[in-house]
Amino acid sequence: MDRKVGIIGYGSMGKMLLWKFAEAGVISKEMLLVANRTREKLDEASSIATICESNAELAAKADIIFVCVRPSDMKGVFEEVLNSIQSDQSVQSDKLLVSLNGNITFDTFDKIGRCRMAKVIPSLTAEIDRSQTLICFNELADVNDKERLKQLLSCIGEVIELPEHEMGMGSELVSCMPGFIASVFDVLCQAGKKHTEIPEEQVVKMVLNTLSATSDLMLRKGMTFEEVVNRVATKGGITQEGTKVVYEGFPTTADLLFEKTLEKRRLIAENARKSFDEK
């Protein structure tokens, strides 16, 4: 990477990105910058990154600036960073701001100022370099911005570019999905334990290994969910009894899940718009 990369915020996501970039060897310590409100938390990162004393300092030095802060802090940080980037009041800066908050729209950011921007939504699976990372760009970002960011993020997995209006549902399918999957299979394991004396740890391991193997089978063989069901659930057999219960009862839960999460996203985006309107 021939550009300096800065990360503002050393919470869960900022810390993960910083260490992943460093571990992948794609950015040297001199080219990888980090800033955080609590300076002491960055001591552990001093061996892999250059510590900046303020967000403004980082923004002035970095070419690609990841903003990894809570939604309630986003406006203040954005204002601080934007002032550093646009000290000459120009929107032609070649710096790229990258927001890790997918719910605040580009139009909302424009209420304060305009610059080249991207939004990035990684997944928890980035921890094993298998993230399906979603990205979108505003109209000021150019081809070089897109290529550089995709190349940088490829070290944690696959990069998928979506239009901004699809980032919400896309996030449900890749970023939120590990939580959804874990909760569903937690329920299945808890139910299964009621009918067996197999130790809980063994039950969970059996289910997780089967889940992983089924996913790999489908991806390698190009199989659909229906094909897997038909292969296992023979007509009149035991598995068919179970799959019938799932198809009859689970659709209502799945519909409600997406209704609730997408509505929550809408409310967060609306609150963000109101916050950015405040002087």
Side-chain angles (χ1 to χ4, degrees):
M1 172 62 64
D2 60 351
R3 295 297 183 100
K4 287 188 176 181
V5 175
I7 295 178
I8 295 176
Y10 197 64
S12 176
M13 196 56 65
K15 182 176 181 178
M16 184 275 290
L17 287 176
L18 186 78
W19 284 88
K20 280 297 179 181
F21 292 158
E23 290 170 1
V26 295
I27 313 174
S28 67
K29 175 181 176 179
E30 293 71 27
M31 301 292 281
L32 184 58
L33 315 177
V34 62
N36 189 60
R37 181 167 53 187
T38 306
R39 171 64 174 77
E40 292 74 19
K41 290 183 178 180
L42 298 178
D43 289 344
E44 66 181 17
S46 61
S47 63
I48 63 166
T50 300
I51 311 301
C52 294
E53 297 301 325
S54 69
N55 297 336
E57 178 192 347
L58 183 145
K61 293 179 177 179
D63 301 297
I64 301 174
I65 304 156
F66 288 84
V67 182
C68 310
V69 300
R70 295 176 300 182
S72 59
D73 296 328
M74 183 64 73
K75 179 184 177 183
V77 171
F78 183 68
E79 289 175 328
E80 184 179 1
V81 169
L82 193 66
N83 287 337
S84 297
I85 291 174
Q86 299 185 355
S87 57
D88 60 355
Q89 301 304 310
S90 170
V91 297
Q92 301 304 317
S93 168
D94 61 357
K95 294 176 183 285
L96 179 69
L97 273 182
V98 183
S99 168
L100 266 73
N101 189 308
N103 298 310
I104 302 179
T105 65
F106 292 132
D107 285 343
T108 298
F109 283 113
D110 286 349
K111 294 176 182 290
I112 294 178
R114 305 190 75 215
C115 63
R116 299 170 187 251
M117 282 200 71
K119 289 196 287 188
V120 167
I121 308 296
S123 170
L124 175 66
T125 52
E127 292 192 5
I128 58 169
D129 302 331
R130 292 185 63 183
S131 174
Q132 293 185 91
T133 304
L134 306 181
I135 59 173
C136 67
F137 299 86
N138 71 358
E139 71 277 10
L140 294 179
D142 62 21
V143 173
N144 290 330
D145 294 323
K146 296 181 180 183
E147 289 180 353
R148 289 191 189 102
L149 189 59
K150 289 177 181 179
Q151 180 184 12
L152 177 62
L153 293 170
S154 66
C155 73
I156 59 172
E158 181 183 2
V159 181
I160 302 170
E161 183 175 354
L162 293 177
E164 184 181 23
H165 71 274
E166 291 289 7
M167 289 289 279
M169 190 59 198
S171 296
E172 312 293 35
L173 297 174
V174 296
S175 181
C176 297
M177 193 56 68
F180 299 158
I181 291 172
S183 61
V184 167
F185 282 89
D186 184 27
V187 171
L188 285 172
C189 288
Q190 294 297 328
K193 281 165 46 184
K194 299 175 184 178
H195 305 280
T196 182
E197 294 182 359
I198 299 173
E200 179 178 359
E201 290 183 2
Q202 186 65 38
V203 169
V204 172
K205 186 175 181 180
M206 291 165 68
V207 170
L208 287 179
N209 282 331
T210 302
L211 172 62
S212 176
T214 302
S215 299
D216 287 343
L217 172 68
M218 294 180 66
L219 290 171
R220 293 180 188 180
K221 299 288 188 178
M223 298 176 70
T224 65
F225 291 113
E226 183 179 8
E227 287 172 335
V228 173
V229 171
N230 289 338
R231 286 282 298 274
V232 182
T234 55
K235 189 174 183 179
I238 295 171
T239 307
Q240 186 181 59
E241 288 299 309
T243 57
K244 282 171 59 179
V245 172
V246 173
Y247 280 117
E248 289 173 2
F250 192 63
T252 299
T253 299
D255 287 340
L256 182 60
L257 181 153
F258 288 118
E259 287 173 9
K260 292 287 189 181
T261 56
L262 291 172
E263 175 61 13
K264 183 67 173 180
R265 288 187 183 278
R266 188 193 68 77
L267 290 174
I268 291 173
E270 179 62 27
N271 289 335
R273 281 192 292 271
K274 291 178 180 178
S275 171
F276 274 63
D277 283 334
E278 295 174 356
K279 301 300 183 182

